[in-house]
Amino acid sequence: MVLFEAILSGVLVGGMYGLIALGLNLQYGIARMMNLAYGETLMGGAFTAFWFLTLWRIDPLASLLFSVPVAFCGNWLIYRYLLTPLVRRAANRDVLEADTILVTFGLLFVFQGVALVQWGGEYRGYTYLAVPVHVLGATVALNRVLAFVAAVALALALYWLLRATRLGGALRAIAIDPVAAQLVAIDVPRLSALAFAAGGAIMAVAGTLVSMFLSFNASIGIVYTLKALIVVIMGGVGRMLGCLAAGLILGVAEALGAYLVDPGLTLAINFALFLLVLLVRPQGLFSRG
Amino acid sequence: MQRRTVLKGGVSLLAAAGAPMVARAQAPKSIRIGYAVSLSGPYAPGAQSTTWSQYKLWAKDVNDAGGIFLKKHDRKVPIELIDYDDRSQIEEAIRLVERLILNDKVDLVLPPWGTATNLATAPVFNKHEYPAIHYTASAMRVRQLGPRWPYSFWALVQPDNGTEPLAAMCAQLKKEGKIKGRIAIMHVADQLGVEMATAMVDACKKAAVEVVYNKSYPLGVSDLQPQIREVMALEPDAFFCFSYPTDTFMVTEQAQVVGFSPPIFYTGVGTPFPAYVAKFGAKKNGVLLYGAVDTTAPGQKEYIERHKAMFNRGVEIGSIGTYGTLQILQKAIEQVGEIDRKKIRDAIASGTFETIADVYTFKDQVHQTAWAVGQWQGDEVVGIYPADKRGAKPLMFPKPKW
């Protein structure tokens, strides 16, 4: 029974890992932007939920109506005015990647600095939906279940969008070869901006959901950027279901390792798995390339 | 214009005539105090609220009162702060402390934030003979460092005397038949967590109480529920988690979700934070925690109001304690009456200091009777152990169910 609960806990944590990685997968996998300031959007979503609840008693889920459009527009503006010039001048993909890493690294400090000045550095947290629910005899917290459900729903939706729609086909074409995509009349700058902005919007959702059960502060963003990066690389860049699966594998491995070996090892297991994937399948577990 | 120059000359001549006035003229314009604290990077959250804001508030309070009174010059001299951000990097902190002393030639340097940073910069303070009262540092090593680092003072409770009262409390409750004496320990795999857990296990052995569980979890863990379940299955009646803020919040919330509510529930760093209050409300009642302050200490209420006015946020015991160490420094300077670092050091080493947090005395440079254990009782963190301290309140037992 304890084992089953441990696995279930791991599944929920894994869903959360998948959730925070989905947006980066859109930004990096489709729009080809390695955004190191990615986690700052999560921080923004978390703070929005927190302030809406503390200041005005507005439900964290309702705060999504504000934070998601803001994150979408904000990320669109970043792409349009900060990253597009880099795309234009870059000689090739490697140069572009190096440039975006530098720019978004700087952006990370700007956002973090503003948040520190505005909201101070202390930890924040609130209690929302921290009620036990019983799943097949095991007890889990409703807020974690919610994050898991959102992760699965978003991953499936993105998978369907990319696989079964015309827009998705165009996005996949950009992911494979932005130059060739232009030749078949795909509006690459517009759709790349869309993918980048959508990635930010998803991260705002993740931030809101994660803030319900994990405490956070102004400098928490980078932690989630790194986690998301591991999941994206493991699952395969641009693979939405792969991303969810990689998250689940990490979550369950952590929980099983903690239960069967020692709880102190969870991070070690995490990184050992990542190393193993890098050695054996550097293109990612679910990538065909 | 000319008349004014003559007038000025006359005034300075007049000033030169009287001896006390000469001293006044020689008095420094300000006492220059420097520090390097983490304002960015992973240490920033803790450093800002516990350390940096207290330095700012203290300087404002001192300067609002006209400055620190220096007997030698017979006047009050204001403080000038020189501040640097060590970006949460220990090498940077060491460089900056050295820079403050050698380049900026400040009169005094205040310590940085965090156990590791304090231990790493202490040799610099001692090499240049700058007295420092380290507050945000707790490690077994500081007890051995006394003679080697005569200019460093350690004001916080250390792992051994921070856990001994906990073991004694469990032994006592067991003797009274109130608990069976089954202890479960969880701790973060970081220096403080490991040292606290090790000290706790030792203390439990001495007090003859049984430790049924003792395991670590890594810093930055995202789920503690499986571990809490494992602990719960062992049915302990006292639970100690030597934790850091994020895991403190997590373990408290997840214990509530799975309904783990032993009569003794202890969590580490973060438990007294305003965020803990905001998150758990009345459920915090009865939770035990690391360290405390004397809530009856004179001046504390006024301090809390000034803090609120300056930063628009609540205080926690760490910020009160840090402010207390600044009062020690101020009192030591006033006792000495001049900026003579050797004399200030000796004044700190031998004095007894009434502050807004506690009455501080240092023996072997360590505040031996520091507050070890506090407890949320109603809306206040009260000091519980050592029980013979002024302001100590009786333990609330059992902790109310969640």
Side-chain angles (χ1 to χ4, degrees):
Chain A
M1 192 60 218
V2 180
L3 180 70
F4 171 67
E5 269 211 358
I7 294 174
L8 190 63
S9 270
V11 168
L12 294 185
V13 169
M16 180 195 89
Y17 290 165
L19 178 65
I20 57 173
L22 280 174
L24 186 70
N25 214 348
L26 274 179
Q27 294 194 336
Y28 186 48
I30 309 291
R32 291 277 152 193
M33 288 295 156
M34 185 60 252
N35 181 10
L36 287 186
Y38 173 68
E40 309 317 303
T41 313
L42 177 138
M43 184 261 290
F47 268 104
T48 308
F50 173 78
W51 288 122
F52 273 49
L53 184 69
T54 356
L55 296 179
W56 305 301
R57 299 270 118 214
I58 294 174
D59 192 277
L61 286 176
S63 78
L64 285 172
L65 294 175
F66 175 80
S67 59
V68 169
V70 169
F72 186 90
C73 296
N75 276 274
W76 186 82
L77 288 173
I78 289 170
Y79 186 86
R80 181 70 190 75
Y81 292 100
L82 278 175
L83 302 179
T84 307
L86 303 182
V87 179
R88 286 216 189 97
R89 75 162 192 228
N92 58 49
R93 207 172 257 186
D94 291 340
V95 176
L96 177 62
E97 190 153 320
D99 283 354
T100 44
I101 284 176
L102 288 176
V103 167
T104 55
F105 194 48
L107 213 53
L108 151 76
F109 288 107
V110 173
F111 285 136
Q112 196 176 305
V114 169
L116 270 173
V117 171
Q118 280 300 311
W119 303 317
E122 67 258 53
Y123 282 97
R124 310 282 187 173
Y126 58 91
T127 301
Y128 181 74
L129 295 183
V131 288
V133 283
H134 302 285
V135 182
L136 303 173
T139 311
V140 287
L142 185 56
N143 45 26
R144 284 182 186 254
V145 175
L146 188 66
F148 175 79
V149 171
V152 174
L154 278 171
L156 287 175
L158 285 174
Y159 179 79
W160 171 80
L161 182 99
L162 288 176
R163 288 285 139 188
T165 66
R166 207 181 148 74
L167 173 68
L171 287 173
R172 274 188 296 142
I174 294 174
I176 293 162
D177 191 334
V179 179
Q182 238 156 358
L183 297 178
V184 291
I186 291 173
D187 189 348
V188 174
R190 203 172 66 86
L191 288 184
S192 294
L194 178 74
F196 191 86
I202 288 177
M203 197 51 164
V205 176
T208 307
L209 294 175
V210 166
S211 71
M212 292 172 189
F213 52 89
L214 294 179
S215 51
F216 52 92
N217 61 42
S219 20
I220 206 78
I222 188 71
V223 176
Y224 288 97
T225 306
L226 291 179
K227 202 103 205 180
L229 190 58
I230 291 178
V231 177
V232 169
I233 303 290
M234 258 183 85
V237 177
R239 305 268 145 190
M240 297 303 155
L241 290 185
C243 181
L244 183 63
L248 289 175
I249 290 171
L250 282 177
V252 173
E254 275 182 17
L256 278 182
Y259 176 67
L260 298 173
V261 192
D262 188 278
L265 286 177
T266 45
L267 277 198
I269 290 168
N270 213 312
F271 284 103
L273 264 179
F274 182 50
L275 267 180
L276 194 72
V277 171
L278 282 185
L279 286 173
V280 181
R281 272 188 76 84
Q283 72 272 41
L285 287 174
F286 301 93
S287 196
R288 265 173 245 131
Chain B
M1 193 72 198
Q2 229 172 10
R3 196 184 304 158
R4 201 173 283 172
T5 322
V6 171
L7 211 72
K8 255 192 196 164
V11 168
S12 44
L13 248 167
L14 244 163
M21 279 188 161
V22 173
R24 194 170 288 185
Q26 282 170 352
K29 261 214 272 327
S30 64
I31 302 173
R32 301 177 71 239
I33 300 182
Y35 57 84
V37 169
S38 312
L39 295 176
S40 54
Y43 293 170
Q48 262 203 343
S49 63
T50 309
T51 304
W52 177 83
S53 48
Q54 307 317 308
Y55 291 176
K56 290 283 184 200
L57 178 58
W58 174 68
K60 182 178 180 291
D61 288 348
V62 168
N63 288 342
D64 283 352
I68 297 181
F69 183 73
L70 298 182
K71 239 183 326 206
K72 190 181 169 194
H73 307 292
D74 192 32
R75 58 176 281 189
K76 283 184 172 180
V77 180
I79 297 175
E80 181 194 339
L81 290 183
I82 293 105
D83 60 348
Y84 289 121
D85 172 14
D86 67 25
R87 294 184 282 130
S88 304
Q89 286 168 17
I90 290 175
E91 323 82 70
E92 188 71 13
I94 296 171
R95 253 200 307 277
L96 288 172
V97 171
E98 199 131 53
R99 185 195 154 93
L100 283 164
I101 295 171
L102 297 177
N103 293 27
D104 299 322
K105 300 197 171 35
V106 295
D107 297 310
L108 291 162
V109 179
L110 301 175
W113 180 88
T115 299
T117 324
N118 273 290
L119 284 175
T121 51
V124 187
F125 282 96
N126 284 278
K127 185 172 121 198
H128 298 285
E129 304 186 337
Y130 271 64
I133 307 163
H134 305 275
Y135 184 78
T136 53
S138 180
M140 292 307 286
R141 255 177 70 205
V142 305
R143 293 196 187 280
Q144 293 128 39
L145 295 169
R148 243 168 68 200
W149 293 348
Y151 281 79
S152 282
F153 297 88
W154 309 91
L156 198 63
V157 67
Q158 304 303 322
D160 49 2
N161 58 342
T163 50
E164 275 152 17
L166 292 173
M169 165 188 79
C170 292
Q172 179 64 27
L173 288 169
K174 189 181 164 190
K175 216 173 77 187
E176 291 167 12
K178 288 179 177 162
I179 59 172
K180 283 171 278 170
R182 291 166 60 82
I183 312 283
I185 301 169
M186 271 168 62
H187 64 91
V188 61
D190 195 86
Q191 187 177 356
L192 182 64
V194 173
E195 288 198 352
M196 294 280 292
T198 312
M200 182 69 185
V201 170
D202 286 351
C204 283
K205 226 176 260 165
K206 275 185 213 142
V209 283
E210 186 193 0
V211 177
V212 295
Y213 184 94
N214 174 26
K215 276 186 187 168
S216 73
Y217 56 84
L219 192 62
V221 68
S222 33
D223 185 16
L224 287 168
Q225 193 177 319
Q227 219 180 330
I228 295 171
R229 275 296 195 190
E230 217 182 318
V231 170
M232 217 175 148
L234 297 168
E235 295 178 354
D237 37 29
F239 174 73
F240 300 93
C241 188
F242 302 111
S243 49
Y244 275 154
T246 40
D247 23 309
T248 297
F249 294 131
M250 196 186 298
V251 85
T252 310
E253 176 167 321
Q254 295 198 311
Q256 291 172 7
V257 169
V258 300
F260 176 51
S261 189
I264 296 282
F265 189 92
Y266 173 106
T267 46
V269 184
T271 315
F273 286 6
Y276 196 88
V277 181
K279 199 165 159 64
F280 300 116
K283 285 184 175 170
K284 67 184 183 300
N285 199 17
V287 174
L288 290 165
L289 54 104
Y290 178 54
V293 293
D294 176 358
T295 47
T296 64
Q300 196 181 96
K301 298 244 155 18
E302 294 80 358
Y303 156 83
I304 293 172
E305 276 157 28
R306 290 198 307 277
H307 189 282
K308 179 92 187 151
M310 188 158 173
F311 301 109
N312 191 27
R313 62 165 183 257
V315 297
E316 39 108 3
I317 53 172
S319 51
I320 304 175
T322 303
Y323 193 92
T325 61
L326 298 166
Q327 289 181 304
I328 300 175
L329 183 68
Q330 182 179 353
K331 288 182 179 177
I333 298 171
E334 277 170 349
Q335 249 175 54
V336 171
E338 60 177 315
I339 302 298
D340 179 323
R341 288 183 284 273
K342 171 83 177 64
K343 285 185 190 158
I344 293 172
R345 184 251 160 228
D346 293 343
I348 298 170
S350 59
T352 299
F353 302 92
E354 170 81 65
T355 73
I356 60 158
D358 193 5
V359 179
Y360 285 95
T361 43
F362 294 96
K363 186 170 166 283
D364 301 325
Q365 289 143 250
V366 178
H367 180 36
Q368 306 285 358
T369 56
W371 282 104
V373 183
Q375 185 175 35
W376 274 112
Q377 293 188 359
D379 284 323
E380 213 175 32
V381 172
V382 297
I384 305 290
Y385 300 114
D388 55 357
K389 278 178 84 82
R390 184 190 74 187
K393 299 261 163 66
L395 171 77
M396 177 200 289
F397 178 88
K399 180 187 83 60
K401 293 272 174 201
W402 294 126

